C-alpha cells in the first residue's frame, strides 16, 4: 500500500519536508508519497484552503501537514479537532479517516519534547 500525504501552505516550494518524510518512510519500509500543495501555485488565497483539503481528500490522501498561512483558516473546514488544537486555535496536521477530516496540532508537543530532551533542566 502506498500512503499519499501532503503539505498545504503558501510559498512552500523550497520546503525540505517532502524529502525528509519520504526518506524516513523508506527507512521504515513504507511506500510514501509527500506532495506539495502550494496555494501560490494553485492561485488560491488562504481563506479558500478548504478547496485544497477537498482536493486532497478526493485524491485519496491519508492526511496533510498545514503550514503558513493556513493553520487557522483550516479550522473552518474540519469535522473535528483535537483538544490541543482547540486550545491553541490552530492546526498543523489533518488526518482523513472514516470520511472525516480531523485536525491536530503537534507544534506545542514537538516544541516541548525538543526543549526537554535538547535542553534538560531549562
Amino acid at each position: 500500500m502506498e500512503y499519499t500525504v501532503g503539505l498545504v501552505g503558501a510559498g512552500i516550494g523550497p520546503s525540505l519536508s517532502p524529502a525528509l518524510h519520504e526518506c524516513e518512510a523508506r527507512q521504515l519500509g513504507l511506500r510514501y508519497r509527500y506532495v506539495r500543495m502550494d496555494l501560490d501555485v494553485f492561485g488560491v488565497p488562504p481563506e479558500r484552503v478548504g478547496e485544497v483539503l477537498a482536493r486532497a481528500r478526493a485524491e485519496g490522501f491519508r492526511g496533510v501537514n498545514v503550514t503558513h498561512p493556513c493553520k487557522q483558516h483550516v479550522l473552518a473546514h474540519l469535522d473535528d479537532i483535537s483538544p490541543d488544537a482547540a486550545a491553541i486555535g490552530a492546526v498543523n496536521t489533518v488526518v482523513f479517516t472514516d470520511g472525516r477530516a480531523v485536525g491536530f496540532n503537534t507544534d506545542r508537543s514537538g516544541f516541548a519534547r525538543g526543549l526537554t530532551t535538547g535542553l534538560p533542566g531549562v
Side-chain angles (χ1 to χ4, degrees):
M1 172 187 293
E2 179 176 276
Y3 298 93
T4 302
V5 297
L7 175 64
V8 176
I12 57 173
S15 174
L16 298 176
S17 290
L20 293 171
H21 282 252
E22 289 176 350
C23 180
E24 183 64 24
R26 273 192 306 280
Q27 296 297 316
L28 296 170
L30 299 173
R31 292 180 45 215
Y32 194 84
R33 188 170 64 102
Y34 194 102
V35 179
R36 287 180 188 89
M37 302 183 84
D38 194 323
L39 299 178
D40 292 345
V41 172
F42 294 160
V44 174
E47 298 79 15
R48 291 179 35 207
V49 69
E51 296 171 24
V52 178
L53 283 185
R55 177 178 174 175
R57 195 187 309 207
E59 291 181 10
F61 281 51
R62 299 294 293 264
V64 294
N65 293 121
V66 180
T67 192
H68 178 78
C70 301
K71 291 182 179 189
Q72 292 174 315
H73 292 291
V74 76
L75 292 169
H77 306 284
L78 302 174
D79 298 305
D80 198 8
I81 61 172
S82 72
D84 278 350
I88 293 169
V91 163
N92 72 346
T93 303
V94 176
V95 176
F96 301 121
T97 183
D98 298 325
R100 298 169 41 88
V102 181
F104 299 88
N105 190 306
T106 62
D107 289 333
R108 184 171 132 192
S109 62
F111 179 80
R113 188 175 306 117
L115 187 63
T116 57
T117 60
L119 296 170
V122 171

